[in-house]
Amino acid sequence: MVDRIAQALRLLREESESNALRAEKAEDKAKSLEEEVVLLQHRLATLDVELIKATSKLAEQKLKEYDGDQSGNKMAEKVQLLEEELSQEKNNLKETTEKLRQADIKVEHLERWVIRLEQESTLWEKKYEDTIERHKLPNKELEDYTNANHHI
């Protein structure tokens, strides 16, 4: 009987340790994804600045073309190049925004997973403590009985 109790306690302890390890891994993954989100946010901010610069350049070039500062063909080529650059920057911005959104979703999912694992770990720790408490009295009674019979 004592062996079964000890084995049950050992199994509960192992499962509790396993759950704690899983929770730590999930927290590490969440932290990694949060760092990725920060990097993507920085990239997004950089792309926003580049987009603003490209838009500004495009407006300046169109203004120069309108004012007649440069020849029509050369200006049209520059405008076309700037419009292509602007289009490419918009695509980069869309891609980065989508990656950021996906990373945010992953972080939220992992945070919920970590919370669930922590709750599960707490539950197993409580079960372990309850089992220990439940078996203290029978163990004490068994020890008292053994000591009483040992003196006979």
Side-chain angles (χ1 to χ4, degrees), residues 104-130:
D104 280 340
I105 289 170
K106 284 181 184 178
V107 166
E108 288 174 14
H109 173 74
L110 286 173
E111 285 173 347
R112 286 192 303 269
W113 189 45
V114 165
I115 289 169
R116 192 182 80 236
L117 286 175
E118 287 173 345
Q119 290 170 344
E120 189 177 312
S121 179
T122 302
L123 177 67
W124 281 110
E125 288 172 5
K126 176 75 172 127
K127 284 182 180 181
Y128 174 72
E129 290 169 4
D130 290 346

Side-chain angles (χ1 to χ4, degrees), residues 2 5 10 20 22-23 25 38 40 44 48-49 54 56 76-77 80 84-85 88 96 102 107-109 113-115 125:
V2 174
I5 294 171
R10 184 181 50 78
R22 284 183 20 210
K25 286 181 182 178
V38 169
L40 288 172
L44 180 61
D48 278 339
V49 169
S56 176
E77 289 175 11
Q80 184 176 352
E84 289 171 3
E85 184 179 324
Q88 184 178 7
T96 303
Q102 289 175 0
V107 166
E108 288 174 14
H109 173 74
W113 189 45
V114 165
I115 289 169
E125 288 172 5

Side-chain angles (χ1 to χ4, degrees), residues 131-148:
T131 303
I132 288 174
E133 284 299 318
R134 232 182 20 241
H135 294 296
K136 276 185 181 177
L137 182 60
N139 284 342
K140 176 71 172 145
E141 289 174 356
L142 180 61
E143 185 179 310
D144 291 345
Y145 179 75
T146 304
N147 288 339

Side-chain angles (χ1 to χ4, degrees), residues 82-103:
L82 287 172
E83 286 174 343
E84 289 171 3
E85 184 179 324
L86 177 62
S87 175
Q88 184 178 7
E89 290 300 324
K90 283 181 180 179
N91 288 337
N92 287 343
L93 180 61
K94 284 180 186 177
E95 289 174 9
T96 303
T97 303
E98 179 60 24
K99 286 180 182 178
L100 178 60
R101 187 187 67 76
Q102 289 175 0

